[in-house]
Amino acid sequence: MLRFLPLLLGAILASCNDLSLPGSDTKKEATSYSYACLDSSVANDPTGKKVERVTGILRDLAVSKRSITDEVQTQWGAAFHKDLLETGESKLIDDPAISAKLNKVLKDLLAQRAQPSKIQYYIYVLDDTALNAFTFGGRIYVTKTMWERCKNDDALLYAIVGHEIGHSEAGHIKTSIQEMEVAEKYFGEGGSTYLQLKSILTASFNQRNELEADYYGINLTNKLGMDLCTVVNFWREMGNKENDYSRVEDFLRTHPFSQARAQCLKDHIKQNFGKDCNSTR
């Protein structure tokens, strides 16, 4: 049901510029993920970490994460998709050409996974003016505005879709489903209200997940021989439009600040693929 919407992971802004970078090692696997680049004192606050550990322990006692199998995630995704259509609040764009392009992107990316899950993936375009993409239970949604920005620029389009795949493959959606099952078990079907509040209070803890999904999408895109620096340049540009750094604001953000995100990706690309994204174009 649409009560799931506030819990969706993976909303990501994007712009599109497609470059080619010679000499890339397109089949090289990333060997490390670094999160030290997250420029947030609040996200790394010891008290906050203790709170998250406690809630994690309670969650694990209530509903075992092992019960959230790939098949269960696929079922939740199907239920969400059905609700999305039945409410009429979100409408899909039925365009064979767009569907063909996005399904090719999805297929190409899924084929690059080193340890693929059994989650069933589907991708759609929503008739929505927001510049956005999100995922739940293997269902990936790209808004019309996002599509218009990226339809001719493969590098960022692939990175965006790869980011959403990353949320599922890295287990982030599994954790969300686990939390929703706990909420419904103890608070009834309105339990997501509790989770909404928790997501606001602990939003900074999701920054690590967002960055992990960024890395995952970048890794898949690299294997397809596309320019990774396009994404870094975009987040630099986005960072120039953001307010000055604020610890309070960062605490309330699910996603890392754009400048921090750009730096994290730049470091990741340099360390793992030997590409230097120093251009500030």
Side-chain angles (χ1 to χ4, degrees), residues 129-142:
T129 59
L131 187 67
N132 198 10
F134 60 88
T135 187
F136 189 74
R139 308 282 171 149
I140 298 173
Y141 302 90
V142 178

Side-chain angles (χ1 to χ4, degrees), residues 75-147:
Q75 290 168 10
W76 278 73
F80 170 79
H81 187 72
K82 180 181 178 182
D83 269 357
L84 183 147
L85 297 179
E86 288 181 349
T87 61
E89 293 186 26
S90 296
K91 296 182 179 179
L92 302 182
I93 294 178
D94 184 13
D95 186 314
I98 295 177
S99 296
K101 171 70 173 182
L102 286 178
N103 277 293
K104 180 182 185 306
V105 170
L106 180 62
K107 182 179 179 180
D108 289 348
L109 289 165
L110 292 176
Q112 301 305 318
R113 295 172 297 170
Q115 296 178 311
S117 71
K118 295 181 180 179
I119 297 169
Q120 296 179 30
Y121 285 92
Y122 304 87
I123 191 165
Y124 312 92
V125 176
L126 288 179
D127 190 5
D128 193 316
T129 59
L131 187 67
N132 198 10
F134 60 88
T135 187
F136 189 74
R139 308 282 171 149
I140 298 173
Y141 302 90
V142 178
T143 66
K144 178 181 179 180
T145 300
M146 175 68 80
W147 165 253

Side-chain angles (χ1 to χ4, degrees), residues 243-257:
N243 296 328
D244 291 338
Y245 179 83
S246 163
R247 289 186 180 183
V248 174
E249 183 181 357
D250 201 13
F251 179 71
L252 296 175
R253 292 170 63 97
T254 300
H255 296 66
F257 272 83

Side-chain angles (χ1 to χ4, degrees), residues 38 207-208 210-211 242 250 253-258 260-261:
L38 285 178
Q207 292 187 14
R208 185 182 177 99
E210 290 300 325
L211 191 55
E242 289 182 342
D250 201 13
R253 292 170 63 97
T254 300
H255 296 66
F257 272 83
S258 297
R261 199 168 192 167

Side-chain angles (χ1 to χ4, degrees), residues 21-275:
L21 195 68
S24 61
D25 185 355
T26 59
K27 292 300 180 181
K28 184 176 180 181
E29 294 282 355
T31 56
S32 66
Y33 284 5
S34 173
Y35 302 94
C37 51
L38 285 178
D39 189 18
S40 170
S41 299
V42 176
N44 295 309
D45 178 70
T47 301
K49 286 188 174 182
K50 289 179 181 178
V51 171
E52 183 66 8
R53 279 199 296 271
V54 170
T55 58
I57 292 171
L58 293 175
R59 182 182 60 222
D60 292 341
L61 287 173
V63 177
S64 172
K65 189 180 290 188
R66 289 190 298 273
S67 68
I68 314 298
T69 63
D70 292 343
E71 289 74 17
V72 168
Q73 292 186 69
T74 297
Q75 290 168 10
W76 278 73
F80 170 79
H81 187 72
K82 180 181 178 182
D83 269 357
L84 183 147
L85 297 179
E86 288 181 349
T87 61
E89 293 186 26
S90 296
K91 296 182 179 179
L92 302 182
I93 294 178
D94 184 13
D95 186 314
I98 295 177
S99 296
K101 171 70 173 182
L102 286 178
N103 277 293
K104 180 182 185 306
V105 170
L106 180 62
K107 182 179 179 180
D108 289 348
L109 289 165
L110 292 176
Q112 301 305 318
R113 295 172 297 170
Q115 296 178 311
S117 71
K118 295 181 180 179
I119 297 169
Q120 296 179 30
Y121 285 92
Y122 304 87
I123 191 165
Y124 312 92
V125 176
L126 288 179
D127 190 5
D128 193 316
T129 59
L131 187 67
N132 198 10
F134 60 88
T135 187
F136 189 74
R139 308 282 171 149
I140 298 173
Y141 302 90
V142 178
T143 66
K144 178 181 179 180
T145 300
M146 175 68 80
W147 165 253
E148 290 298 326
R149 289 283 291 271
C150 300
K151 63 183 180 182
N152 298 318
D153 301 294
D154 285 350
L156 281 177
L157 181 58
Y158 273 77
I160 289 164
V161 177
H163 172 104
E164 305 308 333
I165 294 172
H167 277 307
S168 292
E169 296 294 313
H172 305 158
I173 304 302
K174 177 185 289 191
T175 299
S176 292
I177 293 173
Q178 184 188 24
E179 290 180 345
M180 283 189 283
E181 289 193 353
V182 172
E184 292 197 351
K185 178 177 181 179
Y186 288 99
F187 301 97
E189 287 205 355
S192 58
T193 301
Y194 160 76
L195 287 178
Q196 252 180 283
L197 178 60
K198 180 179 180 291
S199 69
I200 293 173
L201 294 177
T202 62
S204 59
F205 296 109
N206 290 331
Q207 292 187 14
R208 185 182 177 99
N209 290 348
E210 290 300 325
L211 191 55
E212 184 177 12
D214 274 352
Y215 289 158
Y216 193 95
I218 283 288
N219 294 346
L220 296 185
T221 303
N222 177 71
K223 287 185 174 183
L224 292 166
M226 297 179 188
D227 174 35
L228 309 180
C229 296
T230 303
V231 184
V232 175
N233 288 335
F234 168 71
W235 287 114
R236 284 172 174 157
E237 294 167 7
M238 286 293 295
N240 292 332
K241 300 175 183 178
E242 289 182 342
N243 296 328
D244 291 338
Y245 179 83
S246 163
R247 289 186 180 183
V248 174
E249 183 181 357
D250 201 13
F251 179 71
L252 296 175
R253 292 170 63 97
T254 300
H255 296 66
F257 272 83
S258 297
Q259 289 288 7
R261 199 168 192 167
Q263 186 62 49
C264 293
L265 290 174
K266 177 180 179 296
D267 293 345
H268 178 80
I269 292 166
K270 177 67 174 178
Q271 179 176 352
N272 290 286
F273 309 123
K275 301 177 183 179

